[in-house]
Amino acid sequence: MKLWVVFWCTMRQMVNQVQSPKMFIQELDFYYGSVRALSSISIGILERQVTALIGPSGCGKTTFLRCLNRMNDTIPNTRLEGKVYLDGEDIYHPSVDVVDLRQRIGMVFQKPNPFPQSVFDNVAFGPRVLGLTREREELDAIVERSLQRAALWEEVKDHLNTDAMELSLGEQQRLCIARVLAVEPEVILMDEPTSALDPIATMQIEGLMRDLSERYTIVVVTHNMQQAARVSDKTGLFWLGELVEFNDTAMIFTRPKEQRTEAYITGRVG
Amino acid sequence: MSHSLWTTFDREFAQIQESLLQMGLMVDQAIALSLESLQNRDHALAKQVIDDDEEINAIRFKIEDACLALIATQQPAASDLRSVVAVITIVINMERMADHAAGIAKTVILMGDEPLLKPLIDIPRMVRLAQEMLGEVLQAFVDNDADTAQAIADRDDEMDHLYQAIFEELLEIMADKPDSIERATYLLWCAHNLERIGDRVTNIAERVIFVSTGDMRELNV
């Protein structure tokens, strides 16, 4: 290996070790009415890494994910305690504009949810609403760039006016990712983004997640443990509203420290 | 764990473990028969040990194949993954132990009908020790018992001391009677094969500790 490659890898490793988290969650509790769904979650999410959240159904992982861009604000009779920081700023501070926040922290859902519009309009929607540009050429460039980053450009470049609903489910999900990318987010939250997709489309999305992590910070909730093992740098196991263990993915899947992690990932729960 | 809670992985791994123990018995027998062929200067028995080595090689590949299939189909993680990877290392080491037993048998054939240089005292001790260590380390693997594995690895020092004693004794004989060098060298080869078997058991003990604790370290460095 060339010397400069070794040097670059070493430097990158050092930077990774000392970098402060992109998001920092401190002592987070979340309540649905009087029911506590999350208990005292503290976690640091590193920039340009894929962080996977796993755990049995109802363990709180999706609730936690939705706390990260205040999606739970829309649910009545809920309450959050603790802090969620993005680049050191408390995202629950009254001065924070939630629309701006959700531009910085985008979300991709379980089922692809394109608008019943053309492929182009789906991707252009965010930049238009947010007024990112008024120039047609610039908008074209944003749409192309977003579709390229979502690995969909080659498939749709000649059909940008096609109704998005005519795309396959896998293409629709990549379109939804392109729609998120179009507003230049910093963090992308993904809530079981492949659970509605076939294995080929799933592998494409997983490859895309790895590629996107060179530019964006990704947090993904998944029921598929092998997916967490394949795509993530860090993995956290949630259990009954608690974060049981959070560590490098390789460690979680080969040498977990907690018995509950061992039981869950080896399928010996219950 | 009750069998009703067994996963597919558990069921298939239990079969692999059974094959592993069966291979252990075959290796144990190869070591015992190699000594017997040496003690009795039994060329036919020595040839049988050499021939049986093929069967041990075959079971090694069969177990490795089963491990690969288990990884591919069940995607084990954590201690399950460590166990499967450990089995692959263990069968490689056991296959090499059988090669060492075959090495002793080949030496017996090379010795021809020449009388033994001296009565066998420490070599049978080494054989007994090797058999005990092999049986115990496989039991430690089945029991997931890191403490026993550590104790077995410590017993490799006994094996090294026996080898050292044989080495020094034979060196002395060779110095006194240069015409005995060839026959002494044959015995030294046998002892060396047994000493290497002790090292292989230590390798297995390392894997048992890795499975049990996740700690990957070399023992008896």
Side-chain angles (χ1 to χ4, degrees):
Chain A
M1 199 184 300
K2 286 185 179 168
L3 201 58
W4 69 267
V5 176
V6 176
F7 175 74
W8 186 86
C9 290
T10 310
M11 289 306 291
R12 187 180 164 127
Q13 210 171 5
M14 286 168 67
V15 168
N16 279 344
Q17 279 165 0
V18 298
Q19 81 178 120
S20 55
K22 178 73 181 171
M23 296 193 79
F24 183 65
I25 295 87
Q26 188 179 26
E27 296 290 314
L28 182 77
D29 291 339
F30 190 82
Y31 297 84
Y32 292 105
S34 60
V35 177
R36 186 153 80 167
L38 294 173
S39 301
S40 195
I41 310 289
S42 293
I43 187 174
I45 292 166
L46 293 183
E47 190 168 23
R48 293 179 196 183
Q49 290 209 344
V50 179
T51 299
L53 308 176
I54 60 173
S57 296
C59 67
K61 54 191 187 297
T62 293
T63 298
F64 175 77
L65 191 77
R66 294 166 61 93
C67 288
L68 300 186
N69 71 344
R70 296 184 55 172
M71 288 289 283
N72 289 330
D73 287 11
T74 57
I75 303 173
N77 200 23
T78 58
R79 181 162 55 92
L80 178 141
E81 290 172 6
K83 300 285 185 190
V84 179
Y85 297 100
L86 173 65
D87 288 336
E89 287 175 45
D90 178 6
I91 68 167
Y92 283 87
H93 192 274
S95 64
V96 169
D97 182 326
V98 178
V99 175
D100 285 348
L101 175 74
R102 291 186 192 143
Q103 179 197 339
R104 294 178 70 190
I105 307 177
M107 194 155 193
V108 176
F109 297 89
Q110 189 172 351
K111 280 177 74 175
N113 56 352
F115 304 133
Q117 298 171 345
S118 71
V119 169
F120 184 94
D121 287 342
N122 262 274
V123 184
F125 181 84
R128 279 175 178 148
V129 168
L130 294 169
L132 296 185
T133 178
R134 290 181 184 280
E135 303 296 327
R136 174 68 197 201
E137 275 183 18
E138 203 178 333
L139 191 59
D140 286 350
I142 290 172
V143 169
E144 180 176 340
R145 187 173 63 232
S146 304
L147 287 167
Q148 275 178 340
R149 286 183 186 168
L152 189 59
W153 175 250
E154 288 304 320
E155 285 154 78
V156 299
K157 65 182 177 187
D158 298 324
H159 316 282
L160 292 175
N161 292 322
T162 303
D163 187 336
M165 309 310 282
E166 290 177 19
L167 300 178
S168 71
L169 273 182
E171 289 170 335
Q172 285 183 18
Q173 192 64 306
R174 278 181 282 149
L175 179 64
C176 293
I177 292 171
R179 197 171 62 191
V180 169
L181 300 181
V183 296
E184 289 294 339
E186 296 161 45
V187 180
I188 304 171
L189 309 178
M190 296 184 167
D191 189 4
E192 298 186 40
T194 63
S195 61
L197 306 184
D198 65 34
I200 301 292
T202 296
M203 295 307 280
Q204 286 169 338
I205 297 284
E206 288 182 5
L208 182 57
M209 284 160 72
R210 290 298 334 169
D211 291 344
L212 291 174
S213 68
E214 290 177 9
R215 194 179 290 269
Y216 307 97
T217 302
I218 295 177
V219 185
V220 57
V221 160
T222 178
H223 265 121
N224 181 335
M225 280 184 288
Q226 276 68 46
Q227 180 169 79
R230 283 193 295 264
V231 304
S232 69
D233 303 289
K234 299 272 185 188
T235 296
L237 174 77
F238 279 76
W239 193 294
L240 296 173
E242 287 176 31
L243 181 65
V244 172
E245 187 168 354
F246 183 67
N247 206 340
D248 290 344
T249 296
M251 286 297 286
I252 290 283
F253 284 92
T254 58
R255 280 165 276 184
K257 291 189 171 59
E258 299 293 328
Q259 192 51 45
R260 280 182 292 177
T261 314
E262 172 87 26
Y264 182 69
I265 65 175
T266 58
R268 293 188 177 84
V269 180
Chain B
M1 191 191 310
S2 103
H3 278 223
S4 61
L5 285 178
W6 272 28
T7 59
T8 305
F9 174 87
D10 292 330
R11 276 181 247 281
E12 294 186 6
F13 188 70
Q15 284 175 7
I16 288 176
Q17 206 161 268
E18 208 170 293
S19 301
L20 181 84
L21 295 177
Q22 189 196 339
M23 183 179 175
L25 288 175
M26 290 163 77
V27 174
D28 177 84
Q29 193 184 22
I31 297 168
L33 292 181
S34 69
L35 173 67
E36 200 180 321
S37 71
L38 176 66
Q39 283 173 319
N40 301 333
R41 319 305 306 288
D42 185 340
H43 289 197
L45 189 58
K47 185 152 186 333
Q48 186 195 321
V49 173
I50 294 164
D51 292 344
D52 288 353
D53 191 42
E54 285 300 310
E55 216 175 305
I56 292 173
N57 293 344
I59 195 170
R60 170 216 157 165
F61 289 128
K62 192 182 133 201
I63 293 172
E64 266 193 85
D65 203 35
C67 289
L68 290 179
L70 192 58
I71 291 170
T73 58
Q74 302 301 314
Q75 291 112 38
S79 61
D80 289 348
L81 179 60
R82 298 200 300 272
S83 297
V84 181
V85 172
V87 167
I88 294 173
T89 311
I90 290 170
V91 294
I92 291 170
N93 275 286
M94 288 209 294
E95 190 263 320
R96 294 294 293 136
M97 282 184 204
D99 288 345
H100 291 306
I104 294 172
K106 283 172 188 165
T107 306
V108 169
I109 291 170
L110 275 178
M111 288 162 86
D113 295 324
E114 288 273 316
L116 282 173
L117 182 62
K118 59 179 282 301
L120 298 176
I121 300 164
D122 284 334
I123 285 182
R125 284 184 188 149
M126 288 180 85
V127 166
R128 273 196 300 278
L129 184 56
Q131 288 179 285
E132 280 172 23
M133 287 170 71
L134 173 60
E136 285 169 15
V137 84
L138 292 179
Q139 192 57 49
F141 177 67
V142 172
D143 297 341
N144 201 18
D145 182 348
D147 292 339
T148 300
Q150 177 66 61
I152 294 162
D154 293 342
R155 290 189 75 187
D156 189 40
D157 290 342
E158 285 178 50
M159 188 70 99
D160 292 342
H161 289 145
L162 283 169
Y163 176 62
Q164 191 60 31
I166 292 171
F167 179 74
E168 284 167 12
E169 188 187 4
L170 290 173
L171 215 56
E172 220 169 280
I173 293 172
M174 285 191 265
D176 282 351
K177 300 179 193 163
D179 62 337
S180 68
I181 285 178
E182 191 177 342
R183 286 188 297 158
T185 304
Y186 288 142
L187 286 183
L188 200 54
W189 285 351
C190 294
H192 181 69
N193 273 302
L194 292 166
E195 189 269 334
R196 295 295 294 136
I197 287 175
D199 292 341
R200 297 279 167 191
V201 173
T202 304
N203 291 346
I204 296 175
E206 286 168 3
R207 291 291 127 175
V208 174
I209 291 171
F210 171 64
V211 171
S212 176
T213 65
D215 186 10
M216 202 183 277
R217 64 191 157 92
E218 201 166 351
L219 303 171
N220 285 5
V221 184

